[in-house]
Amino acid sequence: MKKRTLFALLLLLTCALQAQQVKVEPAFWWSGMAETELQLMVYGKEIAAYKATIASPHIHLKEAVTLESPNYQILYLDLSHSVPETFEIVFTNGKKKTTYRYELKQRNPQRKTIRGFGSEDVLYLIMPDRFANGNPDNDQIAMRTDYTVDRNDPNARHGGDLKGIADRLDYLADLGITAIWLNPVLENDMEGGSYHGYATTDYYRVDPRFGSNEEYVRLIDAAHAKGMKVVMDMIFNHCGSDHPWMQDVPSHDWFNNSGEYVQTSHMKEIYFDPYASEYDKQRMTDGWFVPTMPDLNQRNRHVAKYLIQNSIWWIEYSGVDGIRQDTYPYADYDMMIDWCNAVYKEYPLYNIVGEVWLNNPIGTAFWQRDSKLNNRENTRLKSVDRKSTRLNSSHLAESR
């Protein structure tokens, strides 16, 4: 009898240790948003074999999608009648069951009236890793990939962080700066020269070598207190090759060229060249920027929804005043229009600047909303960024 009891206890312990662990993105959302459909991307070993149910009378599960990888499931929720609450998402697979508690927060009504930066602002570009080291304790911390911190090596990290920027807001204010544009601050857990931030490996996490999500919010609040705005640099065209999506590809069409490296032509003229071939168009938009930046397929509705929601999450969460979208013409043309419309739906006064990176004014003007040079659907893009005209502050050092 004792042996049976011991066996039963060991079995229960084993089941507890093997209980399904899930990660959900975004980690929380808000009730009262203009868009009432919420996508939840669920990660977990063999999670596709589990059936999801929502334990809330206010929320309806519209669709549960499984992908080619068994370790993903995408849920689409209808929040038309939602209220601020914490509810349970229950995953069951036979006798196996796991529960995830999800929070819908009360939306801050002031977020709806965020007024983006404009022509009256003096915009100052900062590369966080190269600006100022305010917290040496986060220079060399454990990451998935190896890296070095060496200010004598131009390809290494130099230790700049959010605190370094926050400590120098008075300096920026004295210069007459009214808006700061930060190169990407999200996690870039990549080997080599990832200090620039353009190879994202986690879309919902500030790189811990810069600080935390909460520290990013505090920086924005501190800038606002001094009358300055903050612009967030985002990248929809690609992620980093060490993103978990590349380690376990959700589906063959999650990345362009089935996740295999094919170099983009960089021929952005295909958009306004009436004689451009379909081959040239596809090579431009579906090719990878560089081998370490896999090209995301925004024609995949799940990828598109994920990216659109991510930008709205950061605006709602942090109160950031504007978005600068990297490599704008390299992403899908129609999806980028959908993205602009989705942002303006939530934040009518918002401003987005797209990096069009063309060396002639005609090509640049093509992307401006209401452009007379564009005979395609209106881009809805309020402003454009020509890379060659950036004011670069990355030379500023921590000795400032």
Side-chain angles (χ1 to χ4, degrees):
M1 186 68 178
K2 290 182 178 179
K3 289 183 178 180
R4 291 183 179 177
T5 303
L6 180 60
F7 176 77
L9 289 173
L10 288 174
L11 182 61
L12 288 173
L13 178 60
T14 301
C15 291
L17 291 174
Q18 294 178 346
Q20 176 64 282
Q21 299 295 315
V22 297
K23 175 184 177 183
V24 177
E25 291 179 338
F28 56 85
W29 197 250
W30 296 267
S31 178
M33 302 292 284
E35 173 57 51
T36 58
E37 182 183 78
L38 173 64
Q39 179 202 80
L40 298 181
M41 188 161 189
V42 184
Y43 306 76
K45 186 172 178 57
E46 306 290 337
I47 192 64
Y50 286 72
K51 180 180 179 181
T53 55
I54 306 297
S56 169
H58 309 291
I59 299 167
H60 171 62
L61 176 59
K62 295 173 61 177
E63 185 180 10
V65 179
T66 56
L67 304 170
E68 292 163 32
S69 168
N71 303 316
Y72 299 92
Q73 188 171 163
I74 300 178
L75 307 180
Y76 288 90
L77 308 185
D78 181 359
L79 305 185
S80 300
H81 305 290
S82 67
V83 296
E85 64 172 319
T86 299
F87 61 92
E88 291 185 345
I89 307 174
V90 182
F91 297 92
T92 56
N93 179 11
K95 294 183 179 180
K96 298 177 183 177
K97 178 180 176 181
T98 190
T99 300
Y100 188 94
R101 293 178 62 80
Y102 196 86
E103 182 182 9
L104 283 180
K105 298 177 180 290
Q106 175 64 58
R107 187 182 191 188
N108 181 349
Q110 294 182 346
R111 290 287 192 256
K112 301 177 184 179
T113 60
I114 295 177
R115 183 176 293 277
F117 62 94
S119 58
E120 71 278 5
D121 286 305
V122 179
L123 187 65
Y124 193 83
L125 170 62
I126 292 176
M127 183 175 286
D129 181 71
R130 296 297 201 254
F131 186 72
N133 191 347
N135 180 16
D137 291 341
N138 63 21
D139 289 358
Q140 198 73 56
I141 60 178
M143 302 290 285
R144 293 189 302 273
T145 53
D146 295 329
Y147 68 98
T148 58
V149 176
D150 182 359
R151 292 191 63 192
N152 295 315
D153 181 353
N155 199 45
R157 287 186 172 265
H158 289 189
D161 50 33
L162 297 179
K163 188 175 187 306
I165 300 169
D167 290 346
R168 288 156 180 80
L169 289 178
D170 284 337
Y171 160 72
L172 295 171
D174 288 344
L175 290 178
I177 302 303
T178 64
I180 56 175
W181 157 22
L182 305 184
N183 284 147
V185 298
L186 299 185
E187 182 194 273
N188 266 242
D189 196 352
M190 301 276 293
E191 294 183 11
S194 65
Y195 62 86
H196 50 70
Y198 287 97
T200 309
T201 55
D202 190 327
Y203 281 93
Y204 282 97
R205 184 192 190 200
V206 167
D207 196 298
R209 290 163 289 193
F210 293 153
S212 64
N213 287 12
E214 294 77 13
E215 196 170 353
Y216 180 64
V217 174
R218 290 197 296 270
L219 171 61
I220 293 172
D221 289 343
H224 289 170
K226 294 185 180 299
M228 286 186 281
K229 301 169 184 175
V230 178
V231 178
M232 187 173 192
D233 209 327
M234 294 184 176
I235 313 101
F236 280 5
N237 178 65
H238 53 261
C239 64
S241 56
D242 287 322
H243 192 290
W245 288 339
M246 281 297 288
Q247 314 310 314
D248 182 9
V249 180
S251 62
H252 74 278
D253 61 347
W254 201 262
F255 295 98
N256 285 320
N257 298 300
S258 299
E260 297 295 329
Y261 169 64
V262 175
Q263 178 63 51
T264 178
S265 67
H266 296 289
M267 293 175 59
K268 292 172 285 296
E269 292 77 11
I270 57 101
Y271 283 102
F272 45 85
D273 178 0
Y275 304 106
S277 68
E278 291 303 316
Y279 172 84
D280 286 336
K281 293 176 183 178
Q282 185 176 13
R283 185 65 182 269
M284 159 59 197
T285 58
D286 290 6
W288 294 23
F289 202 75
V290 294
T292 55
M293 296 177 179
D295 204 67
L296 290 164
N297 176 20
Q298 299 88 24
R299 293 183 297 274
N300 180 313
R301 69 181 178 104
H302 309 303
V303 175
K305 185 72 171 181
Y306 181 97
L307 295 171
I308 290 171
Q309 274 193 183
N310 178 258
S311 59
I312 291 173
W313 188 90
W314 278 108
I315 299 170
E316 195 69 21
Y317 169 68
S318 69
V320 70
D321 303 279
I323 294 173
R324 183 264 183 185
Q325 184 65 247
D326 183 67
T327 51
Y328 203 94
Y330 292 79
D332 182 70
Y333 186 92
D334 294 328
M335 180 270 180
M336 298 306 287
I337 295 174
D338 292 341
W339 170 60
C340 287
N341 288 332
V343 172
Y344 301 147
K345 181 179 178 179
E346 302 290 351
Y347 316 100
L349 304 178
Y350 215 71
N351 195 4
I352 297 169
V353 56
E355 181 207 26
V356 299
W357 198 6
L358 284 150
N359 295 320
N360 62 79
I362 296 175
T364 302
F366 171 91
W367 291 95
Q368 188 82 39
R369 73 173 181 180
D370 303 325
S371 172
K372 303 299 183 183
L373 301 176
N374 187 344
N375 61 1
R376 299 183 62 171
E377 185 176 352
N378 196 323
T379 66
R380 302 280 287 146
L381 185 60
K382 289 185 178 180
S383 51
V384 293
D385 158 34
R386 286 185 62 192
K387 199 168 189 175
S388 60
T389 62
R390 292 184 190 177
L391 171 62
N392 196 325
S393 67
S394 61
H395 65 282
L396 292 178
E398 61 185 315
S399 58
R400 177 65 66 187

